[in-house]
Amino acid sequence: MIKLDHVTKTYKNGTIALDDVSLEIEKGEFVFLVGSSGSGKTTFLRLLLREELPDRGTIWEAGRDIVNLPKWRVPYLRRNLGCVFQDFRLLQNKTVFENVAFALEVIGRPKSVIESQVPQVLDLVGLSHKRDNLPTELSGGEQQRVAIARAFVNRPLILLADEPTGNLDPKISEGIMSLLDRINKTGTTVVMATHDKALVDRMRLRVIELDRGHLIRDQQRGVYGIETDSGAQR
Amino acid sequence: MASFSQYVVKETTTNLWRNRVTTVAAIFTVMVSLFLVGGSLILGQGASNAEIKWQQGTLVTVWMAPNATSQEINAIRSQLDSFPYVHDCYYQTQLQDYEEAKHLLTATEFSVLKPEAIPSSIRCIPNQPQDAQLVIKKFTGQPGVLIPTAPTQALKNQQRTIAIAQWSVLIIASVLLVSSAVLILNTIRMAIFARKREVAVMKLVGATNWFIRVPFIFEGLLQGLIGSLMAGGLLWAGEWFWHSKSVNWAPDTLGSQMLLTSWQLVWCELVVIFLGMVIGSIGSAIAIRRFLDV
């Protein structure tokens, strides 16, 4: 589903965000992307979104070489990707329903499709009763649910989440995590960058760790830190 | 397709309403500048109409000296009749010229005139308007001729005055047109900044560049179009007022001769509307290119 082959990305100021990273993520996988701030997690996601281009290497997504994808094809690539961010990025002047519907409207989906798909996804995230509320009338957790609903309403093949629980308390984070887990169970590949140790440790899923642009760990059923022989984490 | 057009209409009207003060300012500037452009076009077209009418009626008048003998008058008449650049001639006696002067001069000026002091004249229509100069050249200084004249210089003076007025209006209009484009550009820029977050979300969910750009393009186009339609309305009202006033004017006055036909007015209006749309498109195109990062 996702393949990075010797990918290097250096910013204009000389910062090496990713250095010769190669990895593969299969369809339907749930992957945690961990590492300290500045390790390259966000650059990794931005490359997958084609918001950035690597200096070297190739990236394959859903069977396409996205590095050599013509610029006009990028929107069509993004229709297969859903994105969730720490700051939710909701439109404050639109209701919950309108925020989710907006994702379908702007890719030209007909009204009938919007009217059938939006309630379904609002039901999935448990916000059917708040469809007419504005984002300012919702809690942080609810706002993140709306953002997830917007990312998932087009049934993307891949869902990219950049610290989706970063602004939320542990209990709410659990709810968001279980929602992402449910979405993953529908067959959507989920890549989630996070600093939330408790979540990663509880889920015991694949963990990819970056450190100053280097891939230092790729572990199936991993935990947040590197486990020592005694089971403790470093 | 229906949902796309609904979306464009909704977004365009929302943007226009959101920046209504600058939108109104831009529309009014477009209106004033295009009204001046249209005025200049009408002036140019009117000058051309008047020129055609003057040329059609150009007369060369060979004024005979008051003491010219009948032989001299006859000699000049026969020379004019055989001159290849002259189409037709007729003779006006001193008394006929005196009667004509009564219509052309004020009562005070006319009261000092004596019929015997007025020269008789031979009025000729040249084959082509420009042939008038050849007639003047040939008959200047001939025995019995006082002076041959044609209204050429007067025509030139009038044409020059109209051309100066036309160019002055056009220069002012050009400056205002640039201002309109800049104002439209600024309105679109403000709309882009106001919708920055929305545009970012649109990009993330896979909206195409054109889908994002179209409402902004329409916004500029609409401002130009509304401004130009208002300018067109003003021009039409002005022309109607001119027509209604001209009923009382003599047909040989400048105002009457410059009157436009309906088709000429329609042509001027179409140019004005087209220019309005171009100005709107240019303003929004520059704003999108510079400020909309898609």
Coordinates of all heavy atoms in Angstrom, one line a residue, chain B residues 76-157:
Chain B
I76 N -14.3 83.1 -65.0 CA -14.0 82.2 -63.8 C -15.0 81.0 -63.8 O -14.7 79.9 -63.6 CB -14.1 83.0 -62.5 CG1 -13.0 84.1 -62.4 CG2 -14.0 82.1 -61.3 CD1 -11.5 83.5 -62.4
R77 N -16.3 81.4 -64.1 CA -17.3 80.3 -64.1 C -17.0 79.2 -65.1 O -17.1 78.0 -64.8 CB -18.7 80.9 -64.4 CG -19.3 81.6 -63.2 CD -20.7 82.1 -63.5 NE -21.7 81.0 -63.6 CZ -23.0 81.2 -63.7 NH1 -23.5 82.5 -63.9 NH2 -23.8 80.2 -63.7
S78 N -16.6 79.7 -66.3 CA -16.3 78.6 -67.4 C -15.1 77.8 -67.0 O -15.0 76.6 -67.3 CB -16.2 79.3 -68.8 OG -15.2 80.2 -68.8
Q79 N -14.1 78.5 -66.4 CA -12.9 77.8 -66.0 C -13.2 76.7 -64.9 O -12.7 75.6 -65.0 CB -11.9 78.8 -65.4 CG -11.0 79.5 -66.4 CD -9.9 80.3 -65.7 OE1 -9.1 79.7 -65.1 NE2 -9.9 81.6 -66.0
L80 N -14.1 77.2 -64.0 CA -14.5 76.2 -62.9 C -15.3 75.0 -63.5 O -15.1 73.9 -63.1 CB -15.4 76.9 -61.9 CG -14.6 77.7 -60.8 CD1 -15.6 78.6 -60.0 CD2 -13.9 76.7 -59.8
D81 N -16.2 75.3 -64.5 CA -17.0 74.3 -65.1 C -16.1 73.2 -65.8 O -16.4 72.0 -65.8 CB -18.0 74.8 -66.1 CG -19.1 75.5 -65.4 OD1 -19.3 75.2 -64.2 OD2 -19.8 76.4 -65.9
S82 N -15.0 73.7 -66.4 CA -14.1 72.8 -67.1 C -13.0 72.2 -66.2 O -12.2 71.3 -66.7 CB -13.5 73.5 -68.3 OG -12.8 74.6 -67.9
F83 N -12.9 72.7 -65.0 CA -11.8 72.2 -64.1 C -12.2 70.7 -63.7 O -13.2 70.5 -63.2 CB -11.7 73.1 -62.9 CG -10.5 72.9 -62.1 CD1 -9.2 73.1 -62.7 CD2 -10.5 72.6 -60.7 CE1 -8.0 73.0 -61.9 CE2 -9.3 72.5 -60.0 CZ -8.1 72.7 -60.6
P84 N -11.2 69.8 -63.9 CA -11.6 68.3 -63.7 C -11.9 67.9 -62.3 O -12.4 66.9 -62.0 CB -10.3 67.6 -64.2 CG -9.2 68.6 -64.3 CD -9.9 69.9 -64.5
Y85 N -11.4 68.8 -61.3 CA -11.6 68.4 -59.9 C -13.0 68.9 -59.3 O -13.2 68.7 -58.1 CB -10.5 68.9 -59.0 CG -9.1 68.3 -59.4 CD1 -8.3 69.0 -60.2 CD2 -8.8 67.0 -59.1 CE1 -7.1 68.5 -60.6 CE2 -7.6 66.4 -59.5 CZ -6.7 67.2 -60.3 OH -5.6 66.6 -60.7
V86 N -13.7 69.6 -60.2 CA -15.0 70.2 -59.7 C -16.1 69.4 -60.2 O -16.2 69.0 -61.4 CB -15.1 71.7 -60.1 CG1 -16.5 72.2 -59.9 CG2 -14.0 72.5 -59.3
H87 N -17.1 69.1 -59.3 CA -18.2 68.2 -59.7 C -19.3 69.1 -60.3 O -19.9 68.9 -61.4 CB -18.7 67.5 -58.5 CG -20.0 66.7 -58.7 ND1 -20.0 65.6 -59.6 CD2 -21.2 66.9 -58.3 CE1 -21.3 65.2 -59.6 NE2 -22.0 65.9 -58.8
D88 N -19.6 70.2 -59.5 CA -20.7 71.1 -60.0 C -20.6 72.5 -59.3 O -20.0 72.6 -58.2 CB -22.1 70.5 -59.5 CG -23.3 71.1 -60.1 OD1 -23.0 71.7 -61.2 OD2 -24.4 71.1 -59.6
C89 N -21.1 73.5 -60.0 CA -20.9 74.9 -59.5 C -22.2 75.7 -59.7 O -23.0 75.3 -60.6 CB -19.8 75.6 -60.2 SG -18.2 75.1 -59.8
Y90 N -22.5 76.6 -58.9 CA -23.6 77.6 -59.1 C -23.2 78.9 -58.6 O -22.3 79.1 -57.8 CB -24.9 77.1 -58.4 CG -24.8 76.9 -56.9 CD1 -25.2 78.0 -56.1 CD2 -24.4 75.8 -56.4 CE1 -25.1 77.9 -54.7 CE2 -24.3 75.6 -55.0 CZ -24.7 76.7 -54.2 OH -24.6 76.6 -52.8
Y91 N -23.8 79.9 -59.3 CA -23.4 81.3 -59.0 C -24.4 82.0 -58.0 O -25.6 81.8 -58.1 CB -23.4 82.1 -60.3 CG -23.1 83.6 -60.2 CD1 -21.8 84.0 -59.8 CD2 -24.0 84.5 -60.5 CE1 -21.5 85.3 -59.7 CE2 -23.7 85.9 -60.4 CZ -22.5 86.3 -59.9 OH -22.2 87.6 -59.8
Q92 N -23.9 82.8 -57.1 CA -24.8 83.5 -56.1 C -24.5 85.0 -56.3 O -23.4 85.4 -56.2 CB -24.5 83.1 -54.7 CG -24.9 81.7 -54.3 CD -25.7 81.7 -53.0 OE1 -26.7 81.1 -52.9 NE2 -25.2 82.4 -51.9
T93 N -25.6 85.7 -56.6 CA -25.4 87.2 -56.8 C -25.1 87.8 -55.5 O -25.3 87.2 -54.4 CB -26.7 87.8 -57.4 OG1 -27.7 87.5 -56.4 CG2 -27.1 87.1 -58.7
Q94 N -24.8 89.2 -55.5 CA -24.5 89.9 -54.3 C -25.7 89.9 -53.4 O -25.6 89.8 -52.2 CB -24.1 91.3 -54.7 CG -22.6 91.4 -55.2 CD -22.3 92.8 -55.6 OE1 -22.9 93.3 -56.6 NE2 -21.3 93.4 -55.0
L95 N -26.9 90.1 -54.0 CA -28.2 90.1 -53.3 C -28.4 88.8 -52.5 O -28.8 88.8 -51.4 CB -29.3 90.5 -54.2 CG -30.6 91.1 -53.5 CD1 -30.2 92.3 -52.7 CD2 -31.7 91.3 -54.5
Q96 N -28.2 87.7 -53.2 CA -28.4 86.4 -52.6 C -27.4 86.2 -51.4 O -27.8 85.6 -50.4 CB -28.2 85.2 -53.6 CG -29.4 85.1 -54.6 CD -29.0 84.2 -55.8 OE1 -27.9 84.2 -56.3 NE2 -30.0 83.4 -56.2
D97 N -26.2 86.6 -51.6 CA -25.2 86.5 -50.5 C -25.6 87.4 -49.3 O -25.4 87.0 -48.2 CB -23.8 86.9 -51.0 CG -23.1 85.7 -51.8 OD1 -23.6 84.6 -51.6 OD2 -22.1 86.0 -52.5
Y98 N -26.1 88.6 -49.7 CA -26.6 89.5 -48.6 C -27.7 88.9 -47.8 O -27.7 88.9 -46.6 CB -27.1 90.8 -49.3 CG -27.6 91.8 -48.3 CD1 -26.7 92.6 -47.5 CD2 -29.0 92.1 -48.2 CE1 -27.2 93.5 -46.6 CE2 -29.4 93.1 -47.3 CZ -28.5 93.8 -46.5 OH -29.0 94.7 -45.7
E99 N -28.7 88.2 -48.5 CA -29.8 87.5 -47.8 C -29.2 86.3 -46.9 O -29.7 86.1 -45.8 CB -30.7 86.9 -48.9 CG -31.6 87.9 -49.5 CD -32.5 88.7 -48.5 OE1 -33.1 88.0 -47.6 OE2 -32.6 89.9 -48.6
E100 N -28.2 85.7 -47.4 CA -27.7 84.5 -46.7 C -27.0 85.0 -45.4 O -27.1 84.4 -44.3 CB -26.6 83.8 -47.5 CG -26.2 82.4 -47.0 CD -25.2 81.8 -47.8 OE1 -24.0 82.2 -47.8 OE2 -25.5 80.8 -48.5
A101 N -26.3 86.2 -45.6 CA -25.6 86.8 -44.4 C -26.6 87.1 -43.3 O -26.2 87.1 -42.1 CB -24.8 88.0 -44.8
K102 N -27.8 87.5 -43.7 CA -28.8 87.8 -42.7 C -29.1 86.6 -41.7 O -29.3 86.8 -40.5 CB -30.1 88.1 -43.4 CG -31.2 88.8 -42.5 CD -32.5 88.9 -43.2 CE -32.6 90.0 -44.3 NZ -33.9 90.2 -44.9
H103 N -29.0 85.4 -42.2 CA -29.2 84.2 -41.4 C -28.0 83.8 -40.6 O -28.1 83.2 -39.5 CB -29.6 83.0 -42.3 CG -30.8 83.2 -43.0 ND1 -32.1 83.2 -42.4 CD2 -31.0 83.4 -44.4 CE1 -33.0 83.5 -43.4 NE2 -32.4 83.5 -44.5
L104 N -26.8 84.2 -41.1 CA -25.5 83.8 -40.4 C -25.0 84.8 -39.4 O -24.4 84.4 -38.4 CB -24.4 83.6 -41.5 CG -24.7 82.4 -42.5 CD1 -23.6 82.5 -43.6 CD2 -24.7 81.1 -41.8
L105 N -25.3 86.1 -39.6 CA -24.8 87.1 -38.7 C -25.8 87.5 -37.7 O -27.0 87.3 -37.9 CB -24.3 88.3 -39.5 CG -23.2 88.0 -40.6 CD1 -23.0 89.3 -41.4 CD2 -22.0 87.5 -39.9
T106 N -25.3 88.1 -36.6 CA -26.2 88.7 -35.6 C -26.9 90.0 -36.2 O -26.3 90.5 -37.2 CB -25.5 89.0 -34.3 OG1 -24.5 90.0 -34.6 CG2 -24.8 87.8 -33.7
A107 N -27.9 90.5 -35.6 CA -28.6 91.6 -36.1 C -27.7 92.9 -36.1 O -27.7 93.6 -37.1 CB -29.9 91.9 -35.2
T108 N -26.9 93.0 -35.1 CA -26.0 94.2 -35.0 C -24.9 94.1 -36.1 O -24.7 95.1 -36.8 CB -25.2 94.1 -33.6 OG1 -26.1 93.6 -32.6 CG2 -24.7 95.5 -33.3
E109 N -24.4 92.9 -36.3 CA -23.4 92.7 -37.4 C -24.0 93.0 -38.7 O -23.4 93.7 -39.6 CB -22.8 91.3 -37.3 CG -21.8 91.1 -36.2 CD -21.5 89.6 -36.0 OE1 -22.3 88.7 -36.5 OE2 -20.5 89.3 -35.3
F110 N -25.2 92.5 -38.9 CA -25.9 92.6 -40.2 C -26.2 94.0 -40.5 O -26.2 94.4 -41.7 CB -27.1 91.7 -40.2 CG -27.8 91.6 -41.6 CD1 -27.2 91.0 -42.6 CD2 -29.0 92.2 -41.8 CE1 -27.8 90.9 -43.9 CE2 -29.6 92.2 -43.0 CZ -29.0 91.6 -44.1
S111 N -26.6 94.8 -39.5 CA -27.0 96.2 -39.7 C -26.0 97.1 -40.4 O -26.3 98.0 -41.1 CB -27.5 96.8 -38.4 OG -26.4 96.9 -37.5
V112 N -24.7 96.7 -40.2 CA -23.7 97.6 -40.8 C -23.3 97.2 -42.3 O -22.6 97.8 -43.0 CB -22.4 97.6 -40.0 CG1 -22.6 98.2 -38.6 CG2 -21.8 96.2 -39.9
L113 N -23.9 96.0 -42.7 CA -23.6 95.5 -44.0 C -24.5 96.3 -45.1 O -25.6 96.6 -44.9 CB -23.9 94.0 -44.1 CG -22.9 93.1 -43.6 CD1 -23.3 91.6 -43.9 CD2 -21.5 93.3 -44.4
K114 N -23.8 96.5 -46.3 CA -24.6 97.1 -47.4 C -24.5 96.0 -48.5 O -23.5 95.4 -48.7 CB -23.9 98.3 -47.9 CG -23.9 99.5 -46.8 CD -25.1 100.3 -46.9 CE -25.2 101.4 -45.9 NZ -25.3 101.0 -44.5
P115 N -25.6 95.8 -49.3 CA -25.6 94.7 -50.3 C -24.5 94.9 -51.3 O -23.9 93.9 -51.8 CB -27.0 94.9 -51.0 CG -27.8 95.7 -50.0 CD -26.9 96.5 -49.2
E116 N -24.2 96.2 -51.7 CA -23.2 96.4 -52.7 C -21.8 96.1 -52.2 O -20.8 95.9 -53.0 CB -23.3 97.9 -53.3 CG -23.1 99.0 -52.3 CD -24.4 99.4 -51.5 OE1 -25.4 98.6 -51.6 OE2 -24.4 100.4 -50.9
A117 N -21.6 96.1 -50.8 CA -20.3 95.8 -50.3 C -20.0 94.3 -50.2 O -18.9 93.8 -50.0 CB -20.1 96.4 -48.9
I118 N -21.0 93.5 -50.4 CA -20.9 92.1 -50.3 C -20.5 91.5 -51.7 O -21.1 91.8 -52.7 CB -22.2 91.4 -49.8 CG1 -22.4 91.8 -48.3 CG2 -22.2 89.9 -49.9 CD1 -23.3 91.1 -47.6
P119 N -19.5 90.6 -51.7 CA -19.1 90.1 -53.0 C -20.1 89.0 -53.4 O -20.7 88.3 -52.6 CB -17.7 89.5 -52.7 CG -17.7 89.2 -51.2 CD -18.6 90.2 -50.6
S120 N -20.2 88.9 -54.7 CA -20.9 87.7 -55.3 C -20.0 86.5 -55.2 O -18.8 86.7 -54.9 CB -21.3 88.0 -56.7 OG -20.1 88.1 -57.5
S121 N -20.5 85.3 -55.4 CA -19.7 84.1 -55.2 C -20.1 83.0 -56.1 O -21.2 82.9 -56.6 CB -19.7 83.7 -53.8 OG -21.1 83.3 -53.4
I122 N -19.1 82.1 -56.4 CA -19.4 80.9 -57.1 C -19.2 79.7 -56.2 O -18.1 79.6 -55.6 CB -18.5 80.8 -58.4 CG1 -18.6 82.0 -59.2 CG2 -18.8 79.5 -59.2 CD1 -17.5 82.2 -60.2
R123 N -20.2 78.9 -55.9 CA -20.1 77.8 -55.0 C -19.9 76.5 -55.7 O -20.7 76.2 -56.6 CB -21.4 77.7 -54.1 CG -21.9 79.0 -53.5 CD -21.1 79.4 -52.3 NE -21.4 80.7 -51.8 CZ -22.2 81.0 -50.8 NH1 -22.9 80.0 -50.2 NH2 -22.4 82.2 -50.4
C124 N -18.9 75.8 -55.4 CA -18.5 74.6 -56.1 C -18.4 73.4 -55.2 O -17.9 73.5 -54.1 CB -17.2 74.7 -56.9 SG -17.3 76.0 -58.1
I125 N -18.9 72.2 -55.7 CA -18.7 71.0 -54.9 C -17.6 70.2 -55.6 O -17.7 69.9 -56.8 CB -20.0 70.1 -55.0 CG1 -21.2 70.9 -54.4 CG2 -19.8 68.8 -54.2 CD1 -22.5 70.3 -54.7
P126 N -16.5 70.0 -54.9 CA -15.4 69.3 -55.5 C -15.7 67.8 -55.6 O -16.6 67.3 -54.9 CB -14.2 69.5 -54.5 CG -14.8 69.9 -53.2 CD -16.2 70.5 -53.5
N127 N -15.0 67.1 -56.5 CA -15.2 65.7 -56.7 C -15.0 64.9 -55.4 O -15.8 64.1 -55.0 CB -14.3 65.1 -57.8 CG -14.8 65.5 -59.2 OD1 -15.9 65.9 -59.4 ND2 -13.8 65.5 -60.1
Q128 N -13.8 65.2 -54.8 CA -13.5 64.6 -53.5 C -13.3 65.8 -52.5 O -12.8 66.8 -52.9 CB -12.1 63.8 -53.6 CG -12.2 62.7 -54.6 CD -13.0 61.5 -54.1 OE1 -13.1 61.3 -52.9 NE2 -13.7 60.9 -55.0
P129 N -13.5 65.6 -51.2 CA -13.3 66.7 -50.2 C -11.9 67.2 -50.3 O -11.7 68.5 -50.2 CB -13.6 66.0 -48.9 CG -14.5 64.9 -49.2 CD -14.1 64.4 -50.5
Q130 N -10.9 66.3 -50.5 CA -9.5 66.8 -50.5 C -9.2 67.7 -51.8 O -8.2 68.4 -51.8 CB -8.5 65.7 -50.4 CG -8.6 64.6 -51.4 CD -9.5 63.5 -51.0 OE1 -10.5 63.7 -50.2 NE2 -9.2 62.3 -51.4
D131 N -10.1 67.6 -52.8 CA -9.8 68.4 -54.0 C -10.1 69.9 -53.8 O -9.7 70.7 -54.6 CB -10.8 67.9 -55.2 CG -10.4 66.5 -55.6 OD1 -9.3 66.1 -55.3 OD2 -11.3 65.8 -56.2
A132 N -10.7 70.2 -52.7 CA -11.0 71.6 -52.4 C -9.7 72.5 -52.4 O -9.7 73.6 -52.9 CB -11.7 71.7 -51.0
Q133 N -8.6 71.9 -51.9 CA -7.4 72.6 -51.9 C -6.8 72.9 -53.3 O -6.3 74.0 -53.5 CB -6.3 71.8 -51.1 CG -6.5 71.8 -49.6 CD -6.6 73.2 -49.0 OE1 -5.8 74.1 -49.3 NE2 -7.5 73.4 -48.1
L134 N -7.1 72.0 -54.2 CA -6.6 72.2 -55.6 C -7.4 73.4 -56.2 O -6.8 74.2 -57.0 CB -6.8 70.9 -56.4 CG -6.0 69.7 -56.0 CD1 -6.4 68.5 -56.7 CD2 -4.5 70.0 -56.2
V135 N -8.7 73.5 -55.9 CA -9.5 74.5 -56.4 C -9.0 75.9 -55.9 O -8.8 76.9 -56.6 CB -11.0 74.3 -56.1 CG1 -11.9 75.4 -56.7 CG2 -11.5 73.0 -56.6
I136 N -8.7 75.9 -54.6 CA -8.3 77.1 -53.9 C -7.0 77.6 -54.6 O -6.8 78.8 -54.9 CB -8.1 76.9 -52.4 CG1 -9.5 76.8 -51.8 CG2 -7.3 78.1 -51.8 CD1 -9.4 76.3 -50.3
K137 N -6.1 76.6 -54.8 CA -4.7 76.9 -55.3 C -4.8 77.5 -56.7 O -4.2 78.5 -57.1 CB -3.9 75.6 -55.3 CG -2.4 75.9 -55.3 CD -1.7 74.5 -55.1 CE -0.2 74.7 -55.4 NZ 0.5 73.4 -55.4
K138 N -5.7 76.9 -57.5 CA -5.8 77.2 -58.9 C -6.4 78.7 -59.1 O -6.0 79.4 -59.9 CB -6.7 76.2 -59.6 CG -7.3 76.6 -61.0 CD -6.4 76.2 -62.1 CE -7.0 76.5 -63.4 NZ -6.0 76.6 -64.5
F139 N -7.4 79.0 -58.2 CA -8.1 80.3 -58.5 C -7.7 81.4 -57.6 O -8.2 82.5 -57.8 CB -9.7 80.0 -58.3 CG -10.2 79.2 -59.5 CD1 -10.2 77.8 -59.4 CD2 -10.6 79.8 -60.7 CE1 -10.6 77.0 -60.4 CE2 -11.0 79.0 -61.8 CZ -11.0 77.6 -61.6
T140 N -6.7 81.2 -56.7 CA -6.2 82.3 -55.9 C -5.4 83.3 -56.9 O -4.6 82.8 -57.7 CB -5.2 81.8 -54.8 OG1 -6.0 80.9 -54.0 CG2 -4.7 82.9 -53.9
G141 N -5.8 84.5 -56.8 CA -5.1 85.6 -57.6 C -5.5 85.7 -59.0 O -5.0 86.5 -59.8
Q142 N -6.5 85.0 -59.4 CA -7.1 85.1 -60.8 C -7.8 86.4 -60.9 O -8.3 86.9 -59.9 CB -8.1 84.0 -61.0 CG -7.4 82.6 -61.1 CD -7.1 82.1 -62.5 OE1 -7.1 83.0 -63.4 NE2 -6.9 80.9 -62.7
P143 N -7.8 87.0 -62.1 CA -8.4 88.4 -62.2 C -9.9 88.3 -61.8 O -10.6 87.4 -62.2 CB -8.3 88.7 -63.7 CG -7.4 87.7 -64.3 CD -7.2 86.6 -63.3
G144 N -10.4 89.2 -61.0 CA -11.7 89.3 -60.6 C -12.0 88.5 -59.3 O -13.1 88.6 -58.7
V145 N -11.1 87.6 -58.9 CA -11.3 86.8 -57.7 C -10.8 87.5 -56.5 O -9.7 88.0 -56.4 CB -10.6 85.4 -57.9 CG1 -10.7 84.6 -56.6 CG2 -11.2 84.6 -59.0
L146 N -11.7 87.6 -55.5 CA -11.3 88.2 -54.2 C -10.5 87.2 -53.4 O -9.4 87.4 -53.1 CB -12.6 88.7 -53.4 CG -12.3 89.3 -52.1 CD1 -11.6 90.6 -52.2 CD2 -13.7 89.5 -51.3
I147 N -11.2 86.1 -53.1 CA -10.5 85.0 -52.4 C -11.3 83.7 -52.5 O -12.5 83.7 -52.4 CB -10.3 85.3 -50.9 CG1 -9.4 84.3 -50.2 CG2 -11.5 85.5 -50.1 CD1 -8.9 84.7 -48.8
P148 N -10.7 82.5 -52.8 CA -11.4 81.3 -52.8 C -11.3 80.7 -51.3 O -10.2 80.7 -50.8 CB -10.7 80.4 -53.8 CG -9.5 81.1 -54.2 CD -9.3 82.4 -53.4
T149 N -12.3 80.2 -50.8 CA -12.3 79.6 -49.4 C -13.0 78.3 -49.3 O -13.9 78.0 -50.2 CB -12.9 80.5 -48.4 OG1 -14.3 80.7 -48.7 CG2 -12.3 81.9 -48.3
A150 N -12.5 77.5 -48.4 CA -13.2 76.2 -48.0 C -13.1 76.0 -46.5 O -12.2 76.5 -45.9 CB -12.5 75.0 -48.8
P151 N -14.1 75.4 -45.9 CA -14.1 75.3 -44.5 C -13.0 74.3 -43.9 O -13.2 73.8 -42.8 CB -15.5 74.8 -44.1 CG -15.9 74.0 -45.3 CD -15.2 74.6 -46.5
T152 N -12.0 74.0 -44.7 CA -11.0 73.0 -44.3 C -10.4 73.3 -43.0 O -10.3 72.4 -42.1 CB -9.9 72.9 -45.4 OG1 -10.5 73.2 -46.6 CG2 -9.2 71.6 -45.3
Q153 N -9.9 74.5 -42.8 CA -9.2 74.8 -41.6 C -10.1 74.7 -40.3 O -9.7 74.2 -39.3 CB -8.6 76.3 -41.7 CG -7.5 76.6 -40.6 CD -6.4 75.5 -40.5 OE1 -5.9 75.1 -41.6 NE2 -6.1 75.1 -39.3
A154 N -11.3 75.2 -40.5 CA -12.3 75.2 -39.4 C -12.6 73.7 -39.1 O -12.6 73.3 -37.9 CB -13.6 75.8 -39.8
L155 N -12.7 72.8 -40.1 CA -12.9 71.4 -39.8 C -11.7 70.8 -39.1 O -11.9 70.1 -38.1 CB -13.0 70.6 -41.2 CG -14.3 70.9 -42.0 CD1 -14.3 69.9 -43.2 CD2 -15.5 70.6 -41.1
K156 N -10.5 71.2 -39.5 CA -9.3 70.7 -38.9 C -9.3 71.1 -37.4 O -8.9 70.3 -36.5 CB -8.0 71.2 -39.6 CG -7.7 70.4 -40.8 CD -6.4 70.8 -41.4 CE -6.1 70.0 -42.7 NZ -5.1 70.6 -43.5
N157 N -9.6 72.4 -37.2 CA -9.6 72.9 -35.8 C -10.6 72.1 -34.9 O -10.3 71.7 -33.8 CB -10.0 74.4 -35.7 CG -8.8 75.2 -36.3 OD1 -7.7 74.7 -36.4 ND2 -9.1 76.4 -36.6

